[in-house]
Amino acid sequence: MDLQKYRQPDLINHVIDDIKKHTASVKFMEVCGTHTMAIGKWGIRKLLPKKIKLISGPGCPVCVTPSSVIDELSKLKKVTIATFGDLLRVPGSSGTLEKARALGLRVEVVYSPMEALELAKQVETIFVGIGFETTIPGIAHTIKIAKQQNVSNFSVLPACKLVPPALEALIAGEETKIDGFLLPGHVSVIIGSAAYNFIPQKYGIGGVVTGFEPLDIIVGIKKLLENLDQPQIINEYERVVTKDGNKNAQAVMFEVFAVQDALWRGLGWIPNSGLSIREEYAQFDALKKYGLRITDIPENPQCRCGDVLQGKIIPPSCTLFDKVCNPQNPVGPCMVSSEGSCAAYYKYER
Amino acid sequence: MSKMCLAIPGRLIKNLDGNKGIVDLGGVSKEISLAFIPNAIEGDWIIIHTGFGLEIMSEKDAFEMINILQEAYK
Ligand code: SF4
Ligand code: SF4
C-alpha cells in the first residue's frame, strides 16, 4: 500500500539525519491534539536531537472548553442537552456532565449538530457548540436550517473557538518563545493555508500544515528548520488542504456567527478568538434563551493544564501527573480527551 | 471514543435532494450534508466531519487517509 511510504524507517532516518545537520536550538509547537498523539505514538520526540523541543499547543476543543460551560449546562432542567461525546468527561467545578447525567440531567450524545436539530423536533434541546473551524460551519448550517424550518425548541450554546487568534496570543505571550508551528490539518481544510500568513508576516515565525503520518510530521519539522531564516507558511498536506480553504463553509460560518473575544480554559480570554450568534439568529442563542453565562471561574490550582497548553511545562512536571491524575480519574481537561497533552504523555511518554 | 475534530473519508454513493447525500463509510451508509461541497457527484471521495462533507479528495488520498486512521485508532 502506498501509505508505506510514510512509514519507511529508511526514509524517516534519512530525514532525521537531515534534521541533525541543523545546529539551532528551537522550540516548535504542534497545535493539534492529533499531532500530539501521533508524536507520542511514533516516538518522534525521542528520534529528534535534544535541541529541538516539541511543545503541545491548545489543539483540542474539548481541552479548552472552560469549566463554567459544564457548570452552566449542569444547572439546566427540563431541557435535553445534546453534545459530542468528547465533552462528557470534562470536569466542571463540581463534576462532569456524565456524572450529572447519572443524577438525572438529560444528556444525549450526538454525532452531528443536525442530529440535535432532529431531537429538538421532539423535545426542547440545547446543542453544545464546541469546536474549531473544522466543526463550526456545520453548526452554523444547522442554525440556518433551524430558522428555515422554524424549530423553536432548538438552541445552541456558542462556545466555538478560532485557531489563528489563539496562535497569535501564544506568540505574543512573553514566556513561550515559539520558533515555528506544526499547523492542524483539518482546521486548515476549512480556513486554507493562507489564513496563517500573518504569522510569518507579522511575527517572523514559520509554520507547516501537515498530515498525521510520522513522515508528514518529521518532514514538517525539517521544513521548519530549513526556513528559520525565511519564515513562511508551507502546505505539506495538499492531499486535502488548499490555499484558500472552503469558501462555502466560511461564508455560512460568518453569516450565522460574528467574531468576538472568547474564554479558553487554561489560557484565559483571547481577543477575537470566539464566536457569538448574530442578531438575526438570536432566537437560537442558548445564552440568551436560558440566561447562561460563560465566566472565568478558578480551576483546581494544582492542575497545570494552563501551563501545559501554553507550552510552559510538559505534563510530567505537573505534581498531579500519574499520581492523582490519570485517564481514569482526570483532574484537568488535558487528561480527559485521548488527544489531550497529558493523556498522550501518560500513554506514550511515561 | 469519538474524535471530535477528526475528519474521515467516505464515498458518496447517492446524491439526494437539497444538497444532501448518502456516503459509504467502510460498509456503513450515512446521510450527510453537501452544503459546503454542492458540486460533489456520486462516486466522489469526500472528507467528512460531524455529518458534513468538507472537501472532495482523490481516491488515492482517501485510501491513504483511511489506512492512517485505522492504524492510529485501532
Ligand atoms: S496532569 Fe492532570 S492535573 Fe496535571 S496538568 Fe495534566 S490534566 Fe492537569
Ligand atoms: S479529543 Fe481529540 S478529537 Fe476530540 S476534541 Fe480533543 S483533539 Fe479533537
Side-chain angles (χ1 to χ4, degrees):
Chain A
M1 183 63 206
D2 212 4
L3 180 65
Q4 288 311 326
K5 74 171 188 263
Y6 295 101
R7 299 264 164 83
Q8 281 173 21
D10 282 2
L11 210 49
I12 290 179
N13 285 331
H14 196 81
V15 182
I16 295 282
D17 285 344
D18 278 350
I19 288 177
K20 286 184 176 153
K21 288 183 195 138
H22 293 266
T23 50
S25 290
V26 289
K27 228 189 232 177
F28 295 145
M29 173 176 273
E30 85 272 1
V31 176
C32 164
T34 314
H35 281 152
T36 303
M37 207 58 183
I39 287 165
K41 182 178 163 99
W42 301 101
I44 290 174
R45 245 178 276 269
K46 295 182 197 87
L47 292 177
L48 294 173
K50 287 228 164 22
K51 55 190 190 306
I52 300 179
K53 297 245 178 324
L54 291 181
I55 54 176
S56 310
C60 170
V62 175
C63 300
V64 296
T65 298
S67 34
S68 61
V69 169
I70 308 297
D71 295 353
E72 291 288 280
L73 289 168
S74 304
K75 283 188 228 154
L76 292 173
K77 304 275 179 285
K78 296 186 185 150
V79 186
T80 299
I81 297 162
T83 177
F84 298 128
D86 305 67
L87 198 65
L88 287 190
R89 294 178 54 234
V90 173
S93 46
S94 56
T96 62
L97 287 180
E98 199 170 43
K99 282 192 194 126
R101 177 164 70 175
L103 297 172
L105 191 76
R106 299 181 201 182
V107 183
E108 291 282 341
V109 170
V110 291
Y111 158 75
S112 152
M114 290 295 277
E115 255 176 55
L117 181 59
E118 285 309 308
L119 196 62
K121 291 174 185 170
Q122 289 132 41
V123 289
E124 175 91 34
T125 300
I126 169 170
F127 176 72
V128 191
I130 58 166
F132 295 148
E133 288 89 336
T134 325
T135 319
I136 298 167
I139 299 174
H141 178 83
T142 306
I143 293 176
K144 268 185 78 174
I145 300 288
K147 185 164 183 176
Q148 273 164 25
Q149 299 182 349
N150 217 344
V151 186
S152 60
N153 265 349
F154 181 70
S155 64
V156 171
L157 174 70
C160 296
K161 306 267 191 302
L162 302 171
V163 169
L167 299 184
E168 185 157 17
L170 283 168
I171 299 169
E174 307 264 291
E175 277 142 285
T176 329
K177 205 191 145 302
I178 299 161
D179 301 293
F181 287 103
L182 291 171
L183 296 164
H186 292 151
V187 163
S188 308
V189 171
I190 301 297
I191 64 176
S193 57
Y196 307 104
N197 282 344
F198 76 94
I199 300 177
Q201 283 160 10
K202 206 163 152 190
Y203 298 101
I205 297 170
V208 180
V209 178
T210 93
F212 304 105
E213 277 294 293
L215 195 56
D216 282 331
I217 293 171
I218 290 171
V219 168
I221 293 167
K222 176 171 143 90
K223 298 245 156 144
L224 285 175
L225 285 167
E226 286 168 357
N227 289 290
L228 279 176
D229 294 335
Q230 277 164 324
Q232 51 176 311
I233 300 299
I234 299 168
N235 183 4
E236 268 295 305
Y237 200 38
E238 283 173 343
R239 313 206 272 281
V240 283
V241 174
T242 60
K243 183 167 137 287
D244 296 324
N246 186 320
K247 296 272 187 198
N248 293 320
Q250 291 167 22
V252 175
M253 177 166 154
F254 292 113
E255 185 187 327
V256 174
F257 292 113
V259 173
Q260 62 152 40
D261 300 348
L263 180 62
W264 294 58
R265 186 166 185 149
L267 300 177
W269 288 93
I270 300 183
N272 301 323
S273 67
L275 297 168
S276 59
I277 297 176
R278 285 186 191 277
E279 232 5 81
E280 300 92 287
Y281 296 95
Q283 68 200 99
F284 303 104
D285 189 342
L287 293 177
K288 293 188 176 130
K289 195 166 180 178
Y290 303 104
L292 307 179
R293 284 187 56 225
I294 301 176
T295 49
D296 204 354
I297 48 174
E299 313 287 349
N300 180 334
Q302 277 177 296
C303 168
R304 308 225 14 220
C305 279
D307 293 333
V308 170
L309 289 169
Q310 292 172 71
K312 289 185 194 165
I313 64 161
I314 58 170
S317 309
C318 168
T319 48
L320 303 185
F321 182 82
D322 197 10
K323 298 190 181 73
V324 180
C325 182
N326 59 53
Q328 280 68 50
N329 175 37
V331 175
C334 298
M335 192 60 95
V336 175
S337 67
S338 69
E339 284 158 32
S341 315
C342 296
Y345 266 82
Y346 186 89
K347 192 157 173 205
Y348 296 115
E349 308 201 33
R350 263 189 305 161
Chain B
M1 169 78 200
S2 55
K3 307 277 174 231
M4 213 208 92
C5 49
L6 267 188
I8 53 168
R11 187 163 210 179
L12 185 60
I13 50 176
K14 200 170 171 34
N15 280 84
L16 304 172
D17 288 344
N19 270 343
K20 283 190 241 156
I22 307 277
V23 285
D24 175 24
L25 291 166
V28 185
S29 303
K30 228 180 163 74
E31 187 180 308
I32 63 156
S33 165
L34 301 175
F36 310 139
I37 41 169
N39 54 338
I41 53 170
E42 282 167 25
D44 277 349
W45 282 90
I46 290 177
I47 176 153
I48 301 159
H49 175 70
T50 62
F52 289 83
L54 299 188
E55 214 43 270
I56 302 168
M57 64 197 298
S58 75
E59 177 160 39
K60 178 176 149 284
D61 292 341
F63 278 140
E64 237 169 57
M65 200 183 273
I66 289 167
N67 277 319
I68 293 167
L69 296 177
Q70 277 173 349
E71 178 66 32
Y73 294 111
K74 69 185 171 203

